[in-house]
């Protein structure tokens, strides 16, 4: 079970210039990119807080879509590196009028672009992310349920472009795309499709898919669905190895009001573990209030005027660069007879894991909510320990992990904490001993703060390549 | 918090061949009875000192490390904001007693929450003179 926790919204209910018909979000190491129906924004994290305004030049002579197709950025915002890319006029005049959820890959923004009323197959735009100016487009083939392409993403594992229909999605379409810009034409070659399966391996259909993103760290695929409180939210698939189907690992419901009267709409999403960046100096305004690893755009569609934008942030420990830290670290090396060496490492794992919010909506009308208080939620932890050593020099390694800090906020109901499956094995990539274990929690307000560890490594002397 | 002595001390002595002139590794294990009571919804924090019942001269003592875990926790009546933590662990040699001491920062929460006991392992690398062996 993949652990997750909703942290909060930032921005929250903001009529920022990128809010109107906001569609999706992505990033590179230094910038956020946000798509609207008619344009794509680039915001350097060192210069711009996503909660802040952008200085737009007054455009009074034009209204409607043309308003968004005109370059309106003020000089001071250009100087900050903020850029805005509107649907190229030649494509807009041809009838293409709707960007979807975007992705960043190897210096390019990948943007799906749909035709008016879906009368023609959509296009995929490849846009130079540096200047957000040069672009090329390629045609997607017709798909089954209309001519949708609400999102597209490059899978870092196979470098292929993935996209899907919108309303009833039971498979993803995979294309080979040349990530270059030569003129305005590019080539997409359809390769295959991959089926979606539920947790027990049965065919799965997701409604109203709005966004998608692959995790380079875990290989998981995250799809966002605007199908309401019960069926919508975030679907997480195991996509770690090339296969003909992706199996569902977890469906995460998202608290939002999709009814017409509320008009909230889940859009695209991205993964960025922003916490390591926060600790750098100087602080970056574009990241400082953005916690967690998964970031989901939500729109409050006011229909008439400007919309309100939200970005929902989720903590997904498996996607964090450092979901925990080691502290009180101590190590002792002793030489033993017969050219052997023993290394003992001890310390604490500072984790602050929290039990899953075990409220599941079964239906809205009538309201049926199931509480999963007695369900354990587990996640994997792993870390490297000890010196580098050759595999042939490692004789054996053992680990003991024990509870060293637990708590429960408020009344304790069905709370529980456990650590199991502790293992110490040699890791070929790092040439060090890798510790792994499964940590489990129960109760929504149960916390696991600390684990203690003791690792004993027995090795031939001298095992150390470098410290 | 006063110095705590383990209720079930165990010792293992292993001859070693270094590093340097170190010739013994001692492993001390046990559970220390703490009986620390929480004071309310906020964490009550204390420093736990578990004294190892073995002396080492400053010359003999080379290095000490340790690990500590929760081994006994409880809550009377309804648990409200209950919690038990070990926040840090280190091993030092007490210059007055010549004994290794495991020093841990521990905390407990909830007015009727108790941290009953802490289990520990202490590893001491030492150079013991032949006459002491």
């Amino acid at each position: 079970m993949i652990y997750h926790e909703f942290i909060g919204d930032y921005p929250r209910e903001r009529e920022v210039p990128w809010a109107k018909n906001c569609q999706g979000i992505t990033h590179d190491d230094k910038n956020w990119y946000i798509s609207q129906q008619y344009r794509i924004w680039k915001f350097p994290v060192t210069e711009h807080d996503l909660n802040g305004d952008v200085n737009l030049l007054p455009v009074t002579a034009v209204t409607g879509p043309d308003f968004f197709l005109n370059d309106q950025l003020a000089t001071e915002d250009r100087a900050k590196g903020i850029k805005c890319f509107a649907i190229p006029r030649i494509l807009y005049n041809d009838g293409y009028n709707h960007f979807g959820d975007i992705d960043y890959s190897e210096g390019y923004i990948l943007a799906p672009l749909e035709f008016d009323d879906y009368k023609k197959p959509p296009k995929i735009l490849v846009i130079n992310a540096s200047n957000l100016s040069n672009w090329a487009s390629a045609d997607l083939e017709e798909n089954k349920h209309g001519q949708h392409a609400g999102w597209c993403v490059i899978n870092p594992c196979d470098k292929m472009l993935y996209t899907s229909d919108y309303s009833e999605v039971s498979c993803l379409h995979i294309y080979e795309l040349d990530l270059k810009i030569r003129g305005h034409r590019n080539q997409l070659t359809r390769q295959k499709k991959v089926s979606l399966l539920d947790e027990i391996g049965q065919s799965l259909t997701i409604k109203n898919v709005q966004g998608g993103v692959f995790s380079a760290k875990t290989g998981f695929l995250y799809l966002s669905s605007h199908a309401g409180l019960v069926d919508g939210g975030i679907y997480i698939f195991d996509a770690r190895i090339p296969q003909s189907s992706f199996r569902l690992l977890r469906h995460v419901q998202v608290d939002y009001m999709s009814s017409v009267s509320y008009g909230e709409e889940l859009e695209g999403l991205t993964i960025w573990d922003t916490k390591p960046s926060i600790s750098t100096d100087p602080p970056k305004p574009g990241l400082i209030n953005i916690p967690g690893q998964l970031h989901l755009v939500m729109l409050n569609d006011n229909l008439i005027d400007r919309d309100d934008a939200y970005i929902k942030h989720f903590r997904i420990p498996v996607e964090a660069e450092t979901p925990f830290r080691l502290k009180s670290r101590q190590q002792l090396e002793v030489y033993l007879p017969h050219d052997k060496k023993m290394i003992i490492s001890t310390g604490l794992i500072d984790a602050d894991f929290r039990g899953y919010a075990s409220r599941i909506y079964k239906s809205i009308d009538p309201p049926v909510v199931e509480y999963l208080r007695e369900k354990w939620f587990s996640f994997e932890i792993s870390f490297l320990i000890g010196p580098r050593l050759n595999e042939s020099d490692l004789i054996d390694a053992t680990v003991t992990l024990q509870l060293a800090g637990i708590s429960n906020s408020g009344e304790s109901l069905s709370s529980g904490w456990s650590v199991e499956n502790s293992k110490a094995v040699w890791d070929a990539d790092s040439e060090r001993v890798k510790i792994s274990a499964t940590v489990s929690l129960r109760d929504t307000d149960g916390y696991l703060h600390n684990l203690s560890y003791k690792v004993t490594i027995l090795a031939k002397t001298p095992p150390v390549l470098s410290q | 918090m006063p110095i705590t002595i383990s209720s079930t001390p165990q010792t293992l002595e292993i001859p070693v061949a270094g590093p340097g002139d170190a010739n013994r590794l001692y492993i001390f294990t046990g559970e220390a009875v703490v009986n620390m009571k929480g004071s309310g919804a906020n964490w009550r924090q204390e420093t736990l000192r578990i004294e190892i019942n073995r002396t080492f001269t400053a010359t003999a003592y080379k290095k000490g490390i340790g690990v500590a875990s929760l081994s006994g926790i409880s809550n009377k009546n309804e648990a409200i904001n209950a919690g038990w933590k070990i926040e840090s662990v280190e091993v030092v040699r007490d210059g007055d007693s010549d004994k290794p001491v495991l020093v841990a920062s521990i905390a407990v929460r909830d007015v009727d929450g108790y941290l009953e006991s802490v289990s520990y392992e202490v590893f001491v690398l030492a150079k013991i003179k032949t006459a002491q062996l």
Side-chain angles (χ1 to χ4, degrees), chain A residues 13 33 63 81 95 100 124 134 170 190-191 234 239 242 262 285 381-382 388 391 419 422 427 446 450 466:
Chain A
E13 203 173 358
Y33 299 88
T63 58
I124 299 293
N134 301 338
S170 58
R190 187 169 182 156
Q191 294 296 314
I234 301 164
Y262 285 95
I381 61 169
S382 67
R388 286 181 61 203
E391 186 178 18
V419 54
S422 304
D427 177 64
N450 294 321
S466 65

Side-chain angles (χ1 to χ4, degrees), chain A residues 86-97:
Chain A
I87 295 174
R89 179 68 67 174
I90 188 171
L91 297 179
Y92 179 76
N93 290 343
D94 205 24
Y96 292 91
N97 66 0

Side-chain angles (χ1 to χ4, degrees), chain A residues 327-328 330-335 342 344 346 348 402-412 449-450 452-454, chain B residues 16-19 25 63 65-66 68-70 78-89 109 121 123 125:
Chain A
K327 62 182 183 181
S328 293
Q330 304 155 78
Q331 188 163 294
L332 193 64
E333 287 187 3
V334 295
Y335 297 121
M342 186 163 67
I344 304 167
T346 62
L348 292 168
Q402 292 182 290
L403 299 176
I406 58 176
S407 74
N408 196 276
S409 292
E411 188 180 0
S412 177
H449 304 284
N450 294 321
S452 66
Y453 68 85
K454 185 196 77 177
Chain B
V16 299
L25 172 67
K63 187 176 182 181
I65 67 170
S69 309
L70 302 173
E78 196 175 358
I80 306 286
N81 296 316
W84 308 266
K85 282 201 287 190
I86 297 168
E87 288 280 34
S88 67
V89 178
R109 206 171 63 180
E121 282 185 83
F123 304 85
L125 184 65

Side-chain angles (χ1 to χ4, degrees), chain A residues 208-228:
Chain A
N208 304 354
V209 176
Q210 295 271 47
V213 63
F214 281 99
S215 162
K217 181 174 187 289
T218 60
F220 296 163
L221 169 67
Y222 296 76
L223 295 179
S224 58
S225 160
H226 172 53

Side-chain angles (χ1 to χ4, degrees), chain A residues 238-388:
Chain A
D238 185 353
R240 282 175 286 187
I241 53 173
Q243 50 199 320
S244 59
S245 60
F246 289 160
R247 184 178 285 218
L248 184 68
L249 295 171
R250 182 98 193 242
H251 172 211
V252 176
Q253 292 180 328
V254 175
D255 269 319
Y256 82 113
M257 305 300 286
S258 60
S259 62
V260 174
S261 55
Y262 285 95
E264 293 182 345
E265 187 172 347
L266 299 183
E267 302 288 350
L269 71 175
T270 193
I271 292 173
W272 192 1
D273 184 14
T274 55
K275 193 175 178 183
S277 305
I278 292 172
S279 62
T280 60
D281 191 22
K284 296 171 180 170
L287 296 179
I288 201 160
N289 290 308
I290 308 287
Q293 291 77 40
L294 182 68
H295 315 283
L296 170 68
V297 171
M298 188 183 82
L299 184 66
N300 189 338
D301 190 349
N302 290 332
L303 298 176
I304 301 168
D305 198 2
R306 301 171 77 176
D307 297 340
D308 294 326
Y310 299 68
I311 302 180
K312 295 184 166 295
H313 307 288
F314 297 83
R315 192 161 70 90
I316 312 275
V318 294
E319 301 294 357
E321 288 186 26
T322 51
F324 52 83
R325 68 185 182 94
L326 304 184
K327 62 182 183 181
S328 293
R329 301 174 69 171
Q330 304 155 78
Q331 188 163 294
L332 193 64
E333 287 187 3
V334 295
Y335 297 121
L336 303 173
H338 309 297
D339 298 327
K340 293 187 177 65
K341 187 172 190 173
M342 186 163 67
I343 301 154
I344 304 167
S345 291
T346 62
L348 292 168
I349 298 169
D350 185 359
D352 260 343
F353 291 128
R354 183 182 175 182
Y356 173 59
S358 53
R359 183 179 58 180
I360 303 294
Y361 294 97
K362 291 294 187 184
S363 76
I364 308 173
D365 189 17
V368 178
V369 178
E370 181 182 346
Y371 290 90
L372 301 177
R373 288 195 182 279
E374 297 186 0
K375 191 174 179 66
W376 287 92
F377 290 93
S378 305
F379 38 94
E380 307 297 318
I381 61 169
S382 67
F383 59 93
L384 301 168
I385 201 108
R388 286 181 61 203

Side-chain angles (χ1 to χ4, degrees), chain B residues 48-94:
Chain B
L48 170 68
R49 293 170 60 86
I50 302 174
E51 187 180 83
I52 303 301
N53 195 22
R54 171 73 157 87
T55 58
F56 294 91
T57 65
T59 320
Y61 185 89
K62 298 297 179 186
K63 187 176 182 181
I65 67 170
V67 63
S69 309
L70 302 173
S71 63
I73 58 172
S74 71
N75 198 277
K76 284 186 178 174
N77 304 314
E78 196 175 358
I80 306 286
N81 296 316
W84 308 266
K85 282 201 287 190
I86 297 168
E87 288 280 34
S88 67
V89 178
E90 65 173 336
V91 173
V92 298
R93 179 184 165 274
D94 185 282

Side-chain angles (χ1 to χ4, degrees), chain A residues 6 8-15 51 308-312:
Chain A
F6 171 64
D9 302 303
Y10 188 89
R12 178 181 175 83
E13 203 173 358
R14 281 282 292 150
E15 289 186 8
N51 201 49
D308 294 326
Y310 299 68
I311 302 180
K312 295 184 166 295

